Amino acid sequence: MSEIEELYEELEEAQELDQVASACILYEEILTLEDEENVQATLLYVTDLIDLGNTGQAEATLLRIEELCEGDVESDWHAAFGQLNHYRGRYEDAEKNYRAAHELRTDRGDYLVLAAASAFQRGEAAKAEYLVREALKYQCEQDEAYSNLGTYLASQRRFEEAAGCFREVLKIDSGHEFAREWLADLEQVIGD
């Protein structure tokens, strides 16, 4: 096994154990050893930098690889910038980044789910509802999308519809505690 393969193995272990700081160190080693720029590894590194709160280095890293991102990787780049902007509280910019990612990968609704979350953070529940409904037309994490939609509808006092969304989540994952708790609360409100 080569040195780079060993590092990737250690990196996988660190990620499984949620050891973000160790993962960042391993990414840095990998990125200095590889002959050509590994953009996907760099984007994963950026995610860990954001998780550590190192937003300056995350942004600098994203800007450094921008020209290398083409095709599907370009959408991942926009999504990473969306994550950075969301973390920084720049929800409008985050939404734009996620929507740009979706425009490049229209087969993925997950980017619209993320855009919806950014809109909701700005207090735009109706826009968030629209975006997540659009996301459901594409391949996405259905349980997450319905769960978010239920939250957006509940914030608009549309309790019956919200309860229906949480029932959809429980059809997908009967053990989903968040959905179960929301549904119980909503049924009390609806029953009153």
Side-chain angles (χ1 to χ4, degrees), residues 149-189:
L149 181 57
T151 304
Y152 306 152
L153 292 168
S155 76
Q156 298 173 67
R157 303 188 60 78
R158 293 163 57 191
F159 301 127
E160 290 280 350
E161 293 174 81
C165 290
F166 290 112
R167 285 185 194 100
E168 285 297 317
V169 173
L170 292 172
K171 285 181 191 175
I172 297 166
D173 177 5
S174 61
H176 199 287
E177 274 307 307
F178 181 79
R180 189 174 308 288
E181 289 170 11
W182 262 95
L183 187 56
D185 288 346
L186 288 167
E187 286 174 342
Q188 282 186 333
V189 171

Side-chain angles (χ1 to χ4, degrees), residues 4-160:
I4 197 85
E5 289 170 330
E6 286 177 25
L7 286 171
Y8 271 112
E9 222 173 78
E10 288 177 43
L11 174 61
E12 192 175 311
E13 258 180 61
Q15 288 174 321
E16 285 174 10
L17 296 171
D18 204 23
Q19 297 173 337
V20 179
S22 297
C24 280
I25 292 168
L26 290 164
Y27 279 125
E28 290 167 4
E29 285 185 55
I30 289 168
L31 295 173
T32 57
L33 285 176
E34 289 192 335
D35 292 335
E36 42 185 79
E37 189 72 51
N38 184 331
V39 177
Q40 286 293 355
T42 305
L43 290 172
L44 291 171
Y45 172 53
V46 166
T47 298
D48 283 345
L49 287 171
I50 295 167
D51 287 345
L52 286 172
N54 193 341
T55 58
Q57 188 173 350
E59 183 174 7
T61 303
L62 282 169
L63 294 173
R64 180 174 55 81
I65 64 166
E66 182 176 11
E67 291 180 9
L68 300 172
C69 297
E70 298 173 347
D72 290 348
V73 177
E74 186 178 358
S75 66
D76 294 339
W77 183 88
H78 282 285
F81 231 110
Q83 180 185 3
L84 175 61
N85 281 322
H86 192 93
Y87 182 89
R88 288 177 162 170
R90 298 177 184 165
Y91 302 119
E92 187 173 349
D93 291 336
E95 180 190 333
K96 288 176 185 173
N97 292 130
Y98 290 132
R99 290 179 87 153
H102 176 71
E103 287 175 21
L104 292 165
R105 293 279 311 273
T106 56
D107 61 322
R108 300 267 314 271
D110 294 314
Y111 296 137
L112 291 177
V113 172
L114 294 168
S118 294
F120 189 70
Q121 286 293 326
R122 283 196 332 274
E124 297 185 49
K127 186 177 192 178
E129 174 193 348
Y130 168 79
L131 288 168
V132 82
R133 286 188 190 279
E134 286 297 304
L136 285 164
K137 296 176 183 177
Y138 303 95
Q139 176 186 349
C140 68
E141 294 292 328
Q142 298 277 310
D143 57 340
E144 179 183 358
Y146 276 113
S147 183
N148 289 359
L149 181 57
T151 304
Y152 306 152
L153 292 168
S155 76
Q156 298 173 67
R157 303 188 60 78
R158 293 163 57 191
F159 301 127
E160 290 280 350

